[in-house]
Amino acid sequence: MRGCIFDLDGTLTNTLESLTYSVNLTLKEMELPSITMDQCRRFVGDGARKLIERTLEACGDRSLSRLDEGMEIYGRIFHDNCTYHVTPYQGIPELLQSLKEKGVLLAVLSNKPHEQAVKVVKEIFGERWFDYVSGQQEGIEKKPDPAGVIHIMETLKLTNEECLYVGDSEVDVRTGNNAGVRTIIVSWGFRTREELKEAGARTVIDSPLELLSYM
């Protein structure tokens, strides 16, 4: 494989605490009850708007009458807290270093807003490993639409056969399949192995360095 595209939250970085913290600061400002980290784990994966929709529904706003308000507050709060207690999963730095030594092109594709995706990658990993980072942005449909994967492959001049997609959720299973690339799903992220298998994951790995055997 010449290239590897990674999901960010739950795959490269444990961002659950930052997401829960930002959501609960948003709810506090809206004078709504907080959610648990386990609820947040189940709400993430489809972008910020879906996260806030699911959160408001859990807080009783079934009609989503306060969605625009919630998005404005969350956008402001998350901008300042997107790296709050964020850490790479154990073994990820070693994996990235090994892949770069093999000459593999590395990219990130996240449903996190683009500015925050770039900020997290830069602050947690620096600029030495990733050749391209793409978050949710205008003109590129969010995952599981294959547009983001296709955009990265075109940018890095990779074919489907040369590219591997790595993620941790049912959204990632569908993204890789929709893009027609080999897809590896990790078990250390935001979903259980049972949820991943139910979503159709064909290859599930339990530690980062296992990925090297597929390159």
Side-chain angles (χ1 to χ4, degrees):
M1 294 289 180
R2 288 187 56 235
C4 191
I5 302 172
F6 291 92
D7 169 57
L8 183 57
D9 296 7
T11 301
L12 294 172
T13 54
N14 188 348
T15 55
L16 191 55
E17 191 169 349
S18 73
L19 291 162
T20 307
Y21 180 72
S22 297
V23 167
N24 282 334
L25 284 180
T26 300
L27 294 172
K28 183 178 181 181
E29 190 167 322
M30 296 175 74
E31 299 184 338
L32 292 170
S34 62
I35 63 169
T36 66
M37 195 172 291
D38 189 59
Q39 283 178 300
C40 191
R41 178 185 66 80
R42 290 186 279 110
F43 294 166
V44 299
D46 292 293
R49 190 174 185 86
K50 275 293 183 185
L51 170 59
I52 298 303
E53 283 182 10
R54 290 162 180 161
T55 296
L56 290 176
E57 287 173 343
C59 291
D61 183 10
R62 303 289 181 188
S63 64
L64 300 176
S65 61
R66 303 182 69 183
L67 179 58
D68 288 343
E69 176 191 0
M71 284 298 296
E72 185 279 320
I73 296 171
Y74 179 75
R76 167 168 42 82
I77 288 174
F78 189 60
H79 179 270
D80 295 333
N81 295 284
C82 63
T83 58
Y84 176 81
H85 288 191
V86 172
T87 57
Y89 286 103
Q90 185 175 1
I92 288 294
E94 293 83 355
L95 168 66
L96 298 176
Q97 183 63 37
S98 294
L99 291 174
K100 289 310 288 184
E101 288 172 359
K102 289 175 177 288
V104 178
L105 295 170
L106 302 180
V108 171
L109 177 62
S110 175
N111 274 345
K112 189 190 292 291
H114 181 69
E115 186 179 349
Q116 282 77 52
V118 171
K119 183 177 180 180
V120 169
V121 171
K122 187 174 182 179
E123 289 196 19
I124 302 303
F125 297 109
E127 299 180 350
R128 65 191 182 279
W129 285 322
F130 290 101
D131 300 284
Y132 196 80
V133 178
S134 180
Q136 190 177 342
Q137 55 191 307
E138 289 293 324
I140 302 177
E141 290 294 321
K142 66 183 178 73
K143 301 183 291 184
D145 192 285
V149 173
I150 293 168
H151 172 70
I152 290 173
M153 288 194 296
E154 288 175 347
T155 301
L156 298 181
K157 296 179 171 54
L158 296 167
T159 67
N160 291 53
E161 294 74 24
E162 293 173 329
C163 189
L164 196 66
Y165 180 76
V166 183
D168 76 301
S169 72
E170 65 280 2
V171 172
D172 293 310
V173 173
R174 296 201 302 273
T175 300
N177 290 343
N178 289 343
V181 297
R182 177 73 186 272
T183 302
I184 306 292
I185 301 298
V186 309
S187 66
W188 57 78
F190 295 167
R191 301 291 187 266
T192 65
R193 177 177 277 273
E194 290 71 27
E195 288 171 322
L196 296 172
K197 287 296 187 181
E198 192 173 308
R202 289 191 283 272
T203 305
V204 180
I205 62 173
D206 298 314
S207 67
L209 294 180
E210 280 184 58
L211 187 67
L212 296 174
S213 64
Y214 296 94
M215 301 307 296

